[in-house]
Amino acid sequence: MARRLRAPGPLVAHFLIPAPPMQNPAEPMVYRGLTLDRFQSDAIRALSEGHSVLVCAPTGTGKTVIADWTVEGALSRGKEVVYTAPIKALSNQKFRDYCRLFGDEKVGLVTGDLVIRRDAPCRVMTTEILRNMLLGGEQLPELEAVVIDEIHFLDDPERGTAWEELLIYLPPRVQIVGLSATLRNARQFAAWLGQVRERWVEVIEETQRAVPLQFWVADVNVGLRSPPEFARQMQKVQRNAQPARAAKGGRHGRHGPPRAAPTTHHDVFDLVEERDLLPYLYFCFSRKNVENFARSLGQRLRHSLLDKQASREIAARLDAFAVDNSSVLEPELRALYEKGIAFHHAGLSVLLKALVEELYEARLIKVLYCTSTFALGINMPARTAVFDGLRKFDGRSLRPLTTREFMQKAGRAGRRGMDEVGHVVIRTDAEEWHYNERSLQTYLRGEPEPVRSSFALSFNSIVNLLERAGKAHIREVVDRSFLAFTLQSEVKRLERDAAVLAGQTDRRSKKDAEKLTKRAEVASGRVWDDVEARIEFLTRIGYLDQDGALNAVGRVLRHVQIEEILVTELVLEGILEDLEPARLFGLLCAVNKEFGRDVRVRAQLKDQDLAVARAVQKVRAGDVVRESEHITGSEVCWCPEMIPYGRMWAEGKSLPELMNWLESQADISGDLVGAFRRAKDLAGQLIDVWAEQPERGAMLRQLLRDVSRDEVLVVD
């Protein structure tokens, strides 16, 4: 059911923004031959009236139509529009879509990794790129609207600050189209957004999916059952097991109770195929499992999942791909694809990733094993979404998926116009059911976690803001953050509670009131205290003068956006200046990407590499970098084993040649390409650092040309 909501009244009073008149629901609109759903029509009407919108609707309901209408409208008026997304796969897909819709000449892609037609009127960007443009002082006078897909990424611990900064820096005249499938506190978010943008923000909510979901639990011993039915079956199994244990004279007998056969992904395939629920996405939380599961199913199946016509089509597509990419499309992979089976993860070869997405879009893949990245925003639904489990390792411990993570993946089930129902299957075993049942009950309530701010200005943002407008402006930015907004709401609540308690006469109430007042004071200053600590650090280490002005080192930091303090210190120590181009590129790779723990590195560091690595390690272990880690709460990246791979790429070695010097249980060629792309971006930043050294600039520009080839230029 669609709802068009008003943001809270105080917002209007504070900025004297007139509330839009309440209108009677109009007839649904038609766009590109499609009769729009009510929420789509409401959003477009609000945009037509000049308002920004925050659209919250389940995955697969058609939020993208609103973005497409916004883009087409801006282009028709000769204006500029930007589409931002949190991940490369989504950015690249929208770039391809918009090139098809509006023509190549009107659409550009700017992701840091790739730059294609940067001056096009419609640009698909990562959020950080647009934030950096605004932070650097670009005015963008023709920019009419910005679409922010997956706007709930604002609470991402590592990248969320860029979302808040973008929304603060954009001129108020620019319309915002915020899209999210999982924004529980939409009205609170819209109230902040309206305040910071100084214009009305309509909240458009749709609670019904276009294709409803049906949930199943898969166990080889029980079959495919609905969660309530499965729970009853498990209770029956447990009751029957108790007399058997008692008859053996003990709780478990000498060796414990007999264990039921574990449920594998093969069992899930059999259960799903039996119900005619293909195609399906099978979500794993391990790249190794994603690849191994796909290959093992391919070996198990003696037949293709494709009919004769689809088999001919996929063979033709693979033949065309192999003309230029025969070294990538190995015979085993080709045989797997021809059976309608594939795998997809972030580390996969960029060429194979693009191929798999193309085949999947063409409905030539019936079973796709994938990681979470395939669930985020990419418009590639299936009839069924399968979960290998409901817990994932987050780097420290095994934790349940959040409701948002679960629904993001589950939402891929159900193809609009093709399926009456989307199916969600959870693979489980009897011993796992205790954990899965509790998590599943939470997910089925359908209440995603509220979006919380993770605002923390980077050192680079601080020095740029200081140079442009001074410390007072930074305070203004901080006070306009979503974090400050939510903390101020908390302060008001605490103050109200303290006032109530203070009005009571007993001693305990007065003590409680004093505690609440103290908490309010701490909350009120917390955001600015963090920024001041960073400014004080930059001043103490000599990046800023006592009056806050940037000195020579501070002006270096102004250009560095990747491992800011470490790279700035390397520039300050002169370590980067004497390196030949290829070795410099290897070093830039080593400060932006680390090999996984299961990767065996076979390329040895040459003597010159070792000398550079020792010099960097000395800086890495120094007080300045260590203290920056303490302030930010995150470790800097330093992986000297990466140096020879970046060096060899800059020297002209091919990706297959480099992969011969690595051993991994999963394809990590995509990770290598990602490291090369980020190193390329960092090299571009160094051109600005050495702007007054034309020889260095010329060397770096030649280096960029040398490394910009093959997979690094693929729109994956």
Side-chain angles (χ1 to χ4, degrees):
M1 180 179 180
R3 293 184 289 171
R4 184 173 176 176
L5 304 177
R6 292 172 169 272
L11 167 67
V12 178
H14 183 70
F15 286 105
L16 301 179
I17 304 174
M22 296 299 291
Q23 299 180 354
N24 294 325
E27 290 299 316
M29 302 173 67
V30 175
Y31 173 65
R32 291 187 173 272
L34 298 174
T35 300
L36 302 185
D37 292 339
R38 177 68 63 192
F39 85 94
Q40 296 168 325
S41 300
D42 286 348
I44 288 174
R45 288 193 183 93
L47 289 166
S48 300
E49 294 164 6
H51 310 301
S52 291
V53 298
L54 182 61
V55 182
C56 306
T59 301
T61 51
K63 296 185 293 296
T64 302
V65 169
I66 301 164
D68 296 348
W69 182 91
T70 302
V71 171
E72 184 172 8
L75 293 177
S76 70
R77 289 183 288 274
K79 296 293 186 179
E80 295 180 355
V81 62
V82 169
Y83 182 105
T84 75
I87 61 170
K88 287 188 300 181
L90 181 51
S91 297
N92 296 338
Q93 186 186 55
K94 294 310 298 181
F95 172 70
R96 293 191 294 264
D97 289 347
Y98 285 161
C99 283
R100 287 194 293 265
L101 281 173
F102 308 119
D104 291 359
E105 72 284 354
K106 291 186 178 180
V107 184
L109 177 67
V110 187
T111 64
D113 294 342
L114 295 169
V115 178
I116 302 172
R117 294 184 290 277
R118 190 184 191 278
D119 296 325
C122 171
R123 282 164 288 180
V124 179
M125 297 183 176
T126 55
T127 308
E128 287 87 349
I129 293 293
L130 183 54
R131 185 277 309 266
N132 292 341
M133 292 168 61
L134 295 165
L135 189 59
E138 290 197 42
Q139 298 302 309
L140 304 175
E142 298 302 314
L143 183 61
E144 181 174 276
V146 174
V147 178
I148 304 179
D149 208 347
E150 309 290 351
I151 197 170
H152 56 267
F153 246 72
L154 179 139
D155 68 358
D156 183 78
E158 295 183 2
R159 301 175 60 199
T161 298
W163 269 250
E164 290 196 48
E165 288 187 79
L166 171 62
L167 293 167
I168 292 169
Y169 301 155
L170 276 170
R173 62 177 170 76
V174 177
Q175 279 186 309
I176 300 296
V177 182
L179 307 177
S180 177
T182 53
L183 195 58
R184 179 178 174 184
N185 52 331
R187 297 195 68 188
Q188 179 194 37
F189 190 85
W192 166 72
L193 189 57
Q195 177 174 302
V196 77
R197 305 291 307 138
E198 300 182 26
R199 67 186 296 170
W200 188 264
V201 177
E202 284 278 3
V203 179
I204 310 294
E205 287 191 323
E206 173 57 67
T207 57
Q208 299 297 318
R209 282 180 50 88
V211 181
L213 296 180
Q214 186 168 355
F215 293 85
W216 304 93
V217 181
D219 179 283
V220 66
N221 304 288
V222 178
L224 198 64
R225 307 288 184 104
S226 68
E229 187 181 4
F230 190 87
R232 289 192 295 271
Q233 189 67 24
M234 284 295 100
Q235 291 173 354
K236 185 185 301 183
V237 169
Q238 291 168 359
R239 285 196 302 268
N240 292 339
Q242 290 173 357
R245 287 197 296 266
K248 291 186 177 183
R251 188 180 175 202
H252 296 310
R254 182 175 179 182
H255 301 292
R259 292 175 62 87
T263 303
T264 70
H265 67 100
H266 289 163
D267 300 318
V268 173
F269 173 82
D270 292 339
L271 292 169
V272 170
E273 186 186 39
E274 184 180 294
R275 297 284 187 100
D276 192 24
L277 300 183
L278 273 63
Y280 70 76
L281 302 174
Y282 194 105
F283 288 107
C284 301
F285 306 119
S286 158
R287 294 179 181 181
K288 178 180 70 174
N289 286 348
V290 162
E291 295 195 17
N292 290 345
F293 286 4
R295 288 190 167 100
S296 67
L297 181 63
Q299 292 167 1
R300 179 174 179 253
L301 290 183
R302 301 302 178 193
H303 63 281
S304 173
L305 300 175
L306 305 176
D307 59 27
K308 291 182 179 179
Q309 180 179 345
S311 293
R312 287 193 294 269
E313 182 178 350
I314 198 170
R317 288 175 181 259
L318 294 175
D319 286 342
F321 179 83
V323 170
D324 297 318
N325 305 288
S326 57
S327 63
V328 178
L329 187 59
E330 299 173 353
E332 180 198 11
L333 272 181
R334 174 163 187 146
L336 188 67
Y337 297 160
E338 288 180 334
K339 287 185 177 180
I341 303 168
F343 54 87
H344 184 286
H345 60 71
L348 187 63
S349 158
V350 294
L351 294 167
L352 288 178
K353 205 183 317 180
L355 174 64
V356 168
E357 291 172 11
E358 174 194 324
L359 297 177
Y360 188 88
E361 283 186 289
R363 300 175 187 170
L364 299 174
I365 298 298
K366 300 302 180 183
V367 178
L368 181 65
Y369 292 90
C370 54
T371 53
S372 300
T373 54
F374 204 80
L376 195 60
I378 304 177
N379 185 26
M380 294 189 182
R383 178 172 295 172
T384 303
V386 179
F387 289 78
D388 192 57
L390 298 181
R391 293 186 294 169
K392 65 182 293 187
F393 186 71
D394 62 5
R396 294 187 297 269
S397 61
L398 202 62
R399 64 162 178 84
L401 297 176
T402 65
T403 301
R404 183 187 304 167
E405 290 170 332
F406 177 81
M407 293 309 301
Q408 199 89 50
K409 298 173 182 62
R412 292 291 129 206
R415 300 162 299 178
R416 190 169 187 173
M418 297 180 64
D419 300 319
E420 294 183 2
V421 175
H423 300 271
V424 181
V425 177
I426 295 92
R427 184 207 62 79
T428 194
D429 290 323
E431 55 268 24
E432 294 177 301
W433 179 241
H434 171 71
Y435 301 101
N436 289 345
E437 181 180 27
R438 188 165 47 191
S439 296
L440 195 54
Q441 289 173 350
T442 300
Y443 305 149
L444 295 183
R445 285 196 291 269
E447 296 181 358
E449 300 75 20
V451 170
R452 303 296 187 194
S453 173
S454 57
F455 185 81
L457 285 176
S458 67
F459 294 116
N460 174 271
S461 291
I462 287 173
V463 296
N464 274 283
L465 290 170
L466 279 173
E467 183 179 51
R468 284 180 54 199
K471 191 173 180 179
H473 180 61
I474 296 181
R475 181 64 190 257
E476 180 185 345
V477 169
V478 169
D479 288 345
R480 296 176 71 196
S481 68
F482 186 43
L483 179 58
F485 180 88
T486 53
L487 285 175
Q488 191 57 37
S489 300
E490 176 69 5
V491 166
K492 291 178 180 178
R493 185 187 67 79
L494 292 172
E495 288 175 344
R496 287 195 302 268
D497 293 347
V500 171
L501 290 171
Q504 301 177 13
T505 57
D506 61 283
R507 184 179 301 174
R508 181 173 181 179
S509 295
K510 289 183 177 180
K511 283 188 174 182
D512 290 343
E514 291 172 358
K515 290 179 181 178
L516 288 175
T517 302
K518 185 66 175 177
R519 282 177 59 192
E521 292 173 354
V522 171
S524 181
R526 197 179 93 196
V527 188
W528 180 243
D529 288 346
D530 178 69
V531 173
E532 281 203 309
R534 295 182 184 220
I535 294 175
E536 188 276 331
F537 166 71
L538 292 174
T539 304
R540 180 161 36 82
I541 64 175
Y543 284 40
L544 303 174
D545 294 336
Q546 289 299 320
D547 61 358
L550 276 63
N551 55 33
V553 184
R555 287 191 289 274
V556 172
L557 176 59
R558 181 186 59 183
H559 300 294
V560 179
Q561 297 161 1
I562 296 174
E563 294 301 353
E564 309 156 306
I565 299 299
L566 174 59
V567 173
T568 301
E569 287 292 300
L570 295 178
V571 172
L572 180 65
E573 293 293 327
I575 293 173
L576 305 183
E577 292 191 15
D578 298 328
L579 297 179
E580 61 271 30
R583 187 159 285 109
L584 172 62
F585 190 75
L587 174 55
L588 299 185
C589 292
V591 297
N592 81 67
K593 186 68 178 180
E594 295 181 353
F595 285 116
R597 288 175 295 180
D598 61 341
V599 176
R600 183 182 174 192
V601 178
R602 296 174 54 213
Q604 299 297 313
L605 278 73
K606 294 183 177 180
D607 291 344
Q608 300 96 317
D609 296 334
L610 288 169
V612 171
R614 283 193 291 267
V616 175
Q617 180 58 34
K618 185 176 180 180
V619 175
R620 166 73 179 80
D623 292 340
V624 171
V625 176
R626 291 294 190 191
E627 188 171 352
S628 74
E629 290 178 316
H630 176 73
I631 290 173
T632 61
S634 61
E635 290 187 5
V636 303
C637 177
W638 170 233
C639 180
E641 294 82 6
M642 184 68 72
I643 292 176
Y645 295 91
R647 173 173 49 74
M648 288 190 287
W649 178 261
E651 291 169 346
K653 294 288 193 300
S654 69
L655 191 60
E657 286 178 297
L658 297 187
M659 293 305 297
N660 288 332
W661 292 91
L662 285 170
E663 292 182 14
S664 174
Q665 294 178 312
D667 186 353
I668 61 166
S669 57
D671 287 339
L672 268 186
V673 171
F676 300 158
R677 288 173 169 177
R678 281 177 60 83
K680 175 184 167 185
D681 194 25
L682 184 49
Q685 295 166 24
L686 290 178
I687 291 177
D688 295 329
V689 169
W690 289 320
E692 297 180 1
Q693 301 181 41
E695 298 84 2
R696 298 292 293 173
M699 179 274 287
L700 285 167
R701 279 185 278 273
Q702 181 59 51
L703 175 62
L704 293 180
R705 288 190 288 271
D706 292 341
V707 300
S708 299
R709 65 177 198 280
D710 304 333
E711 289 86 353
V712 170
L713 291 180
V714 173
V715 180
D716 59 328

